[in-house]
Amino acid sequence: MASNEQATGHMRGALNKVRCDACPVLCQISAGRTGACDRWGNVDGVLTRIDPLVLTQHSTTSDNSVAGGELPLGGESRTFLTGVGSGTTYPDYKPAPFIVSTRHEGVDMVTVVTEGIFSYCSFKVKIDTDRYLGPEQANVRHGGEIVGHVTTAEYGSQMLSIGGVHHLTGGSKKEGRATCDLMAALGNKQAVELAIDGGAHVVVQSGRPPIVDGVPEARMRVGCGSATIGIFAQQWFGLVDEVVVVDDHITGVLSEHQAGKQLGVRPSGIEMRGRRSTPGRYFKVANPGVGWGGTDIADPLTIVEGFDPEVAWPGMRLLMVSTTGEHFAYYVLDAQLRPQPADLTLPLRAAVERIAENCEPALSTVLFVGGAGGSLRAGVTNSPVRLTQAIKAALVNVTCGGAPAYVWPGGGITVMVDVARMPDRSFGTVPTPAIVAPLEFTLKLADYAALGGHLDSVVPLEDVLARKALRAARSDSANPWPVAAGALLG
Ligand code: SF4
């Protein structure tokens, strides 16, 4: 069994059990068995962290695959010890599981490595789609349990907030368990299915296209309807008389839009549904949905009231298109000023394809947000507030599994990290319920001493490398090297 031994378990007499004190559950673990979270086990009477300790190695190649133990270990400046598989600091009076020393370009560095147990944590999920997922504040469910909510949409993306302390510990036991399992799956880059009250079913997975109501999303919109008009107005000029870019946020009308005005596009007399915001920009032309441009329409003409006979003319050419170019239709007005479907001309087809070309691939992005401002800090220093202060003074590089973490301003140590940049299988759970996630603090040895660090517990990285239970993961090639980044601070 690959394992990391830990000396803090307590033997329980003739029963040959060990007590795990790595979280408040305090499992009594029989010989050869694991505790409730499967992270710790009783190996020959010794409390043992079952999963191997994960190292990342700096690589400039694009191959980020984890090859268990296959990467050569060594070269201290190229090897970084992550918190994944390290064990926790709980119950906090003791130093972090690993406090390792390295040298970087002549500077003595220290990395404090632990797995944090987080109740205050969540995942912010950015879903690149205009399709309507559900009303803001609507509940998000998994297996029938409420695990999060729809939050404020961003430009071209729908946003979900998943997990959090209220779902983990503030509801029923079942809700807490379901939330915890779902959060671990999301963090570990697995595909999860979510159902939104009054909205869509969506499948999200870090770094993969979202699937909305069974349809994989391909493109992220090039911009809102108004922006699309602005970007492409010049290219459409002369090919068509009027363009309507259908968008749930702002539907754009070329001839009325400032871009069309400046190009001298002739007024078309088109009369739109919805609320006119400013010239050529319309709100609420339809209801939100999974149709054209994030609206509920399948027939674009439903958002056109008609044409002013004083202004429009027979033979007028009208293009209607969505913000991704996924939907488009072309019409020519007949003698009664009714739009009649027509085939797109070749140049106009190329112009529509140009919209699609300019869309980025639609992805799901999963960001972990966790509050490490509590007792975990005592594993780093005897005076925990000094760690917070040192981080705020930019003396400490904070990483999660070697991935750069953004530390929120204000009190505490609230970190945010893209799980795609972390090693695979970085997250675990404990049944309290709470999420287990890796954390590393890297700083100069001199700064560590100054903030009251546990200097007696510092060991050379080579000592840890000599351990057998290791898993090597290439660091995301886009991640800054944590030790080098730490050496640059302060
Ligand atoms: S749930 Fe896991 S971490 Fe908590 S006491 Fe049991 S074995 Fe240890």
Side-chain angles (χ1 to χ4, degrees):
M1 185 185 294
S3 59
N4 291 315
E5 293 176 5
Q6 174 94 355
T8 54
H10 300 277
M11 198 68 137
R12 301 292 287 177
L15 292 175
N16 200 26
K17 288 189 173 184
V18 292
R19 190 186 71 190
C20 177
D21 59 5
C23 93
V25 176
L26 299 178
C27 294
Q28 304 285 344
I29 310 174
S30 302
R33 307 292 294 269
T34 58
C37 68
D38 287 336
R39 295 169 54 249
W40 294 90
N42 178 342
V43 179
D44 299 330
V46 177
L47 180 68
T48 304
R49 180 70 176 88
I50 298 297
D51 305 294
L53 187 58
V54 170
L55 307 169
T56 61
Q57 299 210 298
H58 193 43
S59 168
T60 52
T61 70
S62 58
D63 178 8
N64 295 321
S65 63
V66 171
E70 290 173 10
L71 292 175
L73 302 173
E76 63 184 44
S77 66
R78 313 296 287 175
T79 302
F80 181 73
L81 187 63
T82 77
V84 184
S86 67
T88 53
T89 309
Y90 192 82
D92 307 316
Y93 65 84
K94 59 195 180 196
F98 297 98
I99 304 177
V100 295
S101 60
T102 52
R103 270 179 83 76
H104 177 79
E105 295 185 354
V107 181
D108 288 319
M109 303 294 298
V110 166
T111 301
V112 182
V113 176
T114 189
E115 284 177 306
I117 299 180
F118 295 90
S119 295
Y120 280 90
C121 65
S122 65
F123 288 90
K124 308 302 176 202
V125 184
K126 173 175 168 282
I127 302 171
D128 300 336
T129 184
D130 284 340
R131 288 178 223 278
Y132 180 66
L133 299 186
E136 219 166 274
Q137 303 177 15
N139 287 329
V140 176
R141 294 175 189 269
H142 178 73
E145 295 296 326
I146 300 173
V147 296
H149 64 273
V150 178
T151 187
T152 313
E154 301 298 347
Y155 199 96
S157 308
Q158 310 295 320
M159 303 290 291
L160 306 181
S161 180
I162 302 295
V165 69
H166 294 300
H167 297 297
L168 281 170
T169 61
S172 69
K173 204 167 176 180
K174 200 170 163 214
E175 178 180 330
R177 203 59 250 164
T179 300
C180 196
D181 291 346
L182 175 82
M183 291 176 73
L186 257 182
N188 287 331
K189 309 172 195 172
Q190 294 167 14
V192 301
E193 194 169 348
L194 303 167
I196 296 162
D197 286 359
H201 278 75
V202 59
V203 177
V204 293
Q205 182 174 12
S206 170
R208 298 289 178 88
I211 302 170
V212 181
D213 283 340
V215 180
E217 188 63 277
R219 302 174 204 148
M220 186 179 182
R221 71 178 185 177
V222 69
C224 69
S226 172
T228 307
I229 294 267
I231 295 166
F232 297 106
Q234 184 108 48
Q235 299 177 42
W236 295 329
F237 189 65
L239 300 178
V240 65
D241 299 306
E242 182 64 284
V243 181
V244 175
V245 181
V246 182
D247 175 30
D248 179 52
H249 175 210
I250 302 171
T251 287
V253 176
L254 175 65
S255 66
E256 298 176 15
H257 192 277
Q258 192 63 16
K261 292 269 180 242
Q262 293 201 0
L263 286 167
V265 175
R266 177 181 167 185
S268 70
I270 195 167
E271 291 161 348
M272 298 293 300
R273 293 235 161 98
R275 179 159 68 80
R276 192 165 177 263
S277 161
T278 53
R281 300 168 74 253
Y282 290 84
F283 295 152
K284 289 181 173 289
V285 295
N287 292 316
V290 294
W292 280 56
T295 69
D296 62 347
I297 62 167
D299 174 3
L301 291 178
T302 56
I303 64 169
V304 178
E305 297 269 18
F307 293 86
D308 180 350
E310 301 294 316
V311 184
W313 65 98
M316 193 183 95
R317 300 162 299 171
L318 167 67
L319 172 68
M320 301 190 78
V321 65
S322 68
T323 48
T324 57
E326 180 187 342
H327 297 100
F328 56 88
Y330 182 57
Y331 304 93
V332 177
L333 296 199
D334 65 14
Q336 285 74 45
L337 302 180
R338 291 175 310 206
Q340 300 298 340
D343 289 335
L344 235 62
T345 59
L346 272 181
L348 208 48
R349 182 171 291 277
V352 170
E353 285 167 1
R354 178 63 60 82
I355 297 176
E357 256 170 57
N358 275 275
C359 294
E360 293 176 74
L363 294 176
S364 306
T365 308
V366 177
L367 299 181
F368 172 69
V369 181
S375 51
L376 175 150
R377 294 173 298 171
V380 182
T381 162
N382 285 323
S383 185
V385 75
R386 290 206 211 160
L387 175 64
T388 315
Q389 290 163 347
I391 289 171
K392 297 295 152 70
L395 296 173
V396 183
N397 185 32
V398 184
T399 51
C400 293
Y406 174 75
V407 181
W408 283 60
I413 306 169
T414 300
V415 299
M416 182 165 71
V417 60
D418 180 356
V419 304
R421 304 180 76 166
M422 299 171 68
D424 292 347
R425 307 192 298 283
S426 283
F427 291 86
T429 65
V430 289
T432 50
I435 290 291
V436 180
L439 258 186
E440 306 93 28
F441 302 101
T442 301
L443 66 167
K444 291 171 188 151
L445 178 63
D447 290 334
Y448 189 53
L451 64 83
H454 303 297
L455 292 180
D456 291 348
S457 300
V458 176
V459 296
L461 177 61
E462 294 89 330
D463 285 10
V464 179
L465 296 182
R467 300 170 72 107
K468 288 185 180 157
L470 298 169
R471 174 165 71 95
R474 279 198 176 85
S475 128
D476 185 319
S477 56
N479 288 349
W481 187 239
V483 179
L488 290 174
L489 298 174

